[in-house]
């Protein structure tokens, strides 16, 4: 990370000590050409961008490197970033500051400009080795494609897009694209999301005061990085999931509740097979597998059943036929669940999948506890819903979610399967009353 930089011209020390999660972010910025960074307010994304630009400019050995920091407005760029550039570049011997042009010239010959997207035509006709687009949610659509991207062509330059969600606008579109691109081209694209309840930058008691004093949708958007905060058709809001991540129940607290296992076999090559276990209000860390065939997954399920001793096991019948048959051959009792089958609460839900997700949402709101995990958060918050002509809740199809977000909500579906049918505590209750899953 920025610190001591040495090249043929100068040895320089940038007075910057990154904190968590900046320590995780900078290695990604240095190894990917296109980065999308979504953060909560006051996380330090602008400081990240400033120091990434400074380090990149100092170590660039090409002739006359050029870098740009761009905010939505020139006045805004000067207010939030210019002082940072001057502060962090001040100890570099030979640095030149041009206040009129908002330009820093480093002893290497590299230049960094601070600019506003309110006058993007001023950037036309030049080249760039790297560009940081800050508060991208407020930058005019088309600035990157029409102005910035052509600037990068001759030098193979990089771009950092940073911001906090502001509804489902161009930044949201870029975010969803970046999620897909990061899976398809992991060496080129990176996408990071850092909500306030995971970074520790804002003290928990202060964050709670902010939550209480802030409208729920604003808090979800500004501090929990929820692009859907302004939408009213998200089945499970991010603040509900965040609250569930903060809860945990010990073995004694859930001892009388049934143990349930949900298994979602992979549908396609890049999907994941997931085994999720839950006892009452406590869900445990899922087992996630990639590129596992049905026979191998069936063995994993059998081993997990011996370990967890569930009272019921529900397996998605859509792609799990081979898994179900093999597990039964091994002498275990499992229940196949067609996602499109009739729900128990036929007047409330359109099909079984909608019912499972609806019951899971109610469980979360009633005090359900989740194991930590960014992918689980994304999966649970992904589906939107509507109502059919009979007024029954209908969930967005899994294929549509994958098309929209670039990933299938496999972890969410596996946990939802634990709500497929009512389950009674079985014969293992007495023997395993003091057993906490994963801890003997």
């Amino acid at each position: 990370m920025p610190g001591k930089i040495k090249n043929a011209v100068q040895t320089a020390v940038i007075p910057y000590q990154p904190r968590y999660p900046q320590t995780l972010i900078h290695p990604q910025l240095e190894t990917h050409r296109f980065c999308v960074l979504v953060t909560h307010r006051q996380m330090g994304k602008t400081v990240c961008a400033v120091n990434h630009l400074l380090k990149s400019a100092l170590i660039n050995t090409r002739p006359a490197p050029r870098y740009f920091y761009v905010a939505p407005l020139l006045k805004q760029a000067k207010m939030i970033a210019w002082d940072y550039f001057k502060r962090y570049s001040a100890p570099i011997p030979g640095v030149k500051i041009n206040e009129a042009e908002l330009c820093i010239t480093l002893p290497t010959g590299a230049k960094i400009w601070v600019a506003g997207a309110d006058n993007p035509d001023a950037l036309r006709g030049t080249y760039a080795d790297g560009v940081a687009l800050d508060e991208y949610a407020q930058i005019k659509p088309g600035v990157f494609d029409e102005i910035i991207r052509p600037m990068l062509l001759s030098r193979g330059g990089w771009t950092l897009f940073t911001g906090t969600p502001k509804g489902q606008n161009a930044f949201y579109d870029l975010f969803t694209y970046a999620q897909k691109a990061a899976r398809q081209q992991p060496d080129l694209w990176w996408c990071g999301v850092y909500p306030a309840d995971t970074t520790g930058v804002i003290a928990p008691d202060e964050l709670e005061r902010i939550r209480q004093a802030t409208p729920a949708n604003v808090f979800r958007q500004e501090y929990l990085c929820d692009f859907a905060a302004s939408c009213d058709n998200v089945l499970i809001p991010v603040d509900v999931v965040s609250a569930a991540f903060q809860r945990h129940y010990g073995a004694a607290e859930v001892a009388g509740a049934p143990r349930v296992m949900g298994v979602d076999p992979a549908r396609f090559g890049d999907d994941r097979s997931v085994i999720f276990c839950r006892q009452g209000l406590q869900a445990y860390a899922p087992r996630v597998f990639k590129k596992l065939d049905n026979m191998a997954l069936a063995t994993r399920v059998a081993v997990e059943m011996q370990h967890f001793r569930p009272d019921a096991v529900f397996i998605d019948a859509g792609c799990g036929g081979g898994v179900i048959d093999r597990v039964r051959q091994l002498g275990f009792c499992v229940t196949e669940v067609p996602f499109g089958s009739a729900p128990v609460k036929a007047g409330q839900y359109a099909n079984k999948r909608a019912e499972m997700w609806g019951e899971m949402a109610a469980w979360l709101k009633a005090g359900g506890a989740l194991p930590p995990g960014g992918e689980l958060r994304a999966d649970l918050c992904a589906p939107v819903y509507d109502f059919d002509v009979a007024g029954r809740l209908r969930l967005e199809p899994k294929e549509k979610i994958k098309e929209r977000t670039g990933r299938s909500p496999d972890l969410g579906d596996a946990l939802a399967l634990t709500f497929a049918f009512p389950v009674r505590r079985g014969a293992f209750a007495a023997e395993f009353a003091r057993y906490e899953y994963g801890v003997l």
Side-chain angles (χ1 to χ4, degrees), residues 341-356 359 419-422:
S341 61
V344 174
K345 299 179 180 179
Q348 185 175 351
Y349 299 104
N351 57 28
K352 174 57 70 177
R353 182 165 180 262
E355 180 177 55
M356 292 188 299
E359 295 302 296
F419 298 90
F421 296 99

Side-chain angles (χ1 to χ4, degrees), residues 55-332:
K55 180 176 180 178
S56 299
L58 280 168
I59 65 176
N60 192 333
T61 58
R62 286 183 168 186
R66 293 186 175 190
Y67 293 86
F68 296 84
Y69 169 91
V70 182
L73 304 172
L74 178 59
K75 182 178 180 180
Q76 182 182 15
K78 183 175 181 179
M79 180 176 64
I80 65 178
W82 183 237
D83 284 345
Y84 284 138
F85 275 109
K86 291 190 290 185
R87 180 196 308 176
Y88 290 113
S89 66
I92 302 173
V95 67
K96 296 178 181 178
I97 305 295
N98 188 323
E99 292 282 355
E101 295 186 6
L102 298 182
C103 177
I104 291 179
T105 302
L106 299 172
T108 60
K111 292 186 176 184
I112 305 173
W113 279 271
V114 169
D118 49 341
N119 185 23
D121 288 336
L123 301 174
R124 289 185 186 273
T126 187
Y127 62 87
D129 294 83
V131 178
L133 296 167
D134 202 0
E135 298 295 353
Y136 191 73
Q138 301 173 47
I139 289 179
K140 299 175 184 178
V143 168
F144 174 70
D145 289 331
E146 298 173 17
I147 308 293
I148 304 299
R149 189 146 205 168
M151 294 167 56
L152 305 173
L153 294 178
S154 63
R155 310 277 283 207
W158 53 261
T159 307
L160 166 61
F161 307 86
T162 74
T164 300
K166 197 175 180 64
Q168 296 188 352
N169 56 8
F171 190 34
Y172 172 73
D173 294 339
L174 172 67
F175 170 70
T176 56
Y177 175 82
Q179 286 184 307
K180 300 176 187 177
R183 292 168 65 88
Q184 297 168 357
Q185 305 174 78
D187 295 332
L188 187 65
W189 281 85
W190 174 77
C191 186
V193 183
Y194 295 92
D197 60 340
T198 66
T199 65
V201 172
I202 302 175
D205 56 345
E206 179 65 18
L207 187 62
E208 177 59 22
R209 283 192 289 270
I210 294 172
R211 186 192 67 78
Q212 293 179 4
T214 307
N217 62 325
V218 175
F219 181 80
R220 286 165 48 196
Q221 176 175 278
E222 301 292 315
Y223 294 94
L224 300 183
C225 300
D226 184 7
F227 282 98
S230 59
C231 301
D232 57 4
N233 66 336
V234 175
L235 183 67
I236 305 177
V238 68
D239 52 337
V240 172
V241 176
S242 295
F245 281 137
Q246 304 304 315
R247 294 189 286 261
H248 176 78
Y249 302 99
E253 296 175 280
V254 296
R259 296 170 179 268
V260 192
M261 180 186 294
V263 182
D264 185 42
R267 296 187 173 205
F268 309 105
D270 59 345
D271 287 357
R272 301 154 294 176
S273 294
V274 182
I275 301 173
F276 227 127
C277 295
R278 176 180 64 84
Q279 183 171 18
L281 287 172
Q282 182 64 56
Y284 302 102
R287 308 303 194 241
V288 183
F289 311 99
K290 293 183 178 180
K291 302 186 184 302
L292 205 63
D293 62 41
N294 282 347
M295 294 301 100
L297 178 59
T299 300
R300 299 277 188 166
V301 172
V303 169
E304 204 67 26
M305 289 179 68
Q306 287 183 314
H307 182 50
F308 185 56
R309 302 298 181 95
D311 299 298
V313 177
F314 300 119
I315 303 179
D316 176 15
C319 291
V323 177
I324 293 167
D325 292 343
R326 179 56 180 162
V327 172
R328 286 173 175 168
Q329 285 179 353
L330 295 173
F332 294 92

